[in-house]
Amino acid sequence: MKTLLNVLLRLIETARILGLNYRDLKNAEDLLMHNEFGLCFDTIITQMYEYEIEIDDELYESISKIGDRMNLKPESYTFMKELIRDESNIPKPLKDELTRIITSLIE
């Protein structure tokens, strides 16, 4: 159980680095400290998905391993594949910001 705690703490820290907001991070940490491992995991990945925070293959592999370790059905986390950064495309947050800038120049 301690290993799972450490893995989830690393997932929270990774989500923090990638820009997940403080409220969601705090909620996940609180759940983790109350041994609500499944809810902690679900909170992090659901909020990352909701905010369209892009991930790489390595992070997806970590998410998948955590899900497997927790005996979760793959469909409870495979939606995260949609967030895997495609190296040949511009990331969505950057596209959104460029659109905002271009629109402001046109107006």
Side-chain angles (χ1 to χ4, degrees):
M1 183 155 32
K2 188 171 185 169
T3 305
L4 185 56
L5 175 76
N6 291 334
V7 171
L8 288 169
L9 282 170
R10 276 184 287 185
L11 180 61
I12 291 170
E13 184 57 28
T14 301
R16 181 184 331 275
I17 291 166
L18 293 175
L20 188 61
N21 68 57
Y22 174 79
R23 185 191 72 224
D24 292 324
L25 293 165
K26 181 71 172 123
N27 287 340
E29 288 171 346
D30 289 346
L31 289 165
L32 187 58
M33 293 308 125
H34 288 93
N35 295 322
E36 296 288 349
F37 301 125
L39 290 173
C40 171
F41 178 71
D42 187 59
T43 297
I44 292 295
I45 65 171
T46 299
Q47 293 309 309
M48 289 178 72
Y49 185 81
E50 289 296 318
Y51 289 107
E52 298 178 341
I53 295 174
E54 292 185 337
I55 63 174
D56 59 16
D57 288 319
E58 185 179 332
L59 180 54
Y60 179 77
E61 285 301 314
S62 295
I63 289 168
S64 180
K65 286 178 184 177
I66 294 169
D68 289 345
R69 176 181 270 167
M70 296 174 70
N71 297 317
L72 299 175
K73 294 179 181 177
E75 54 269 12
S76 67
Y77 56 84
T78 53
F79 60 90
M80 294 295 287
K81 284 182 182 180
E82 294 176 30
L83 298 176
I84 296 175
R85 184 179 319 118
D86 180 356
E87 297 300 327
S88 65
N89 291 323
I90 299 171
K92 184 176 179 346
L94 182 55
K95 279 184 186 177
D96 292 345
E97 184 63 17
L98 288 172
T99 301
R100 186 191 67 72
I101 292 168
I102 292 169
T103 302
S104 71
L105 293 172
I106 296 171
E107 296 174 344

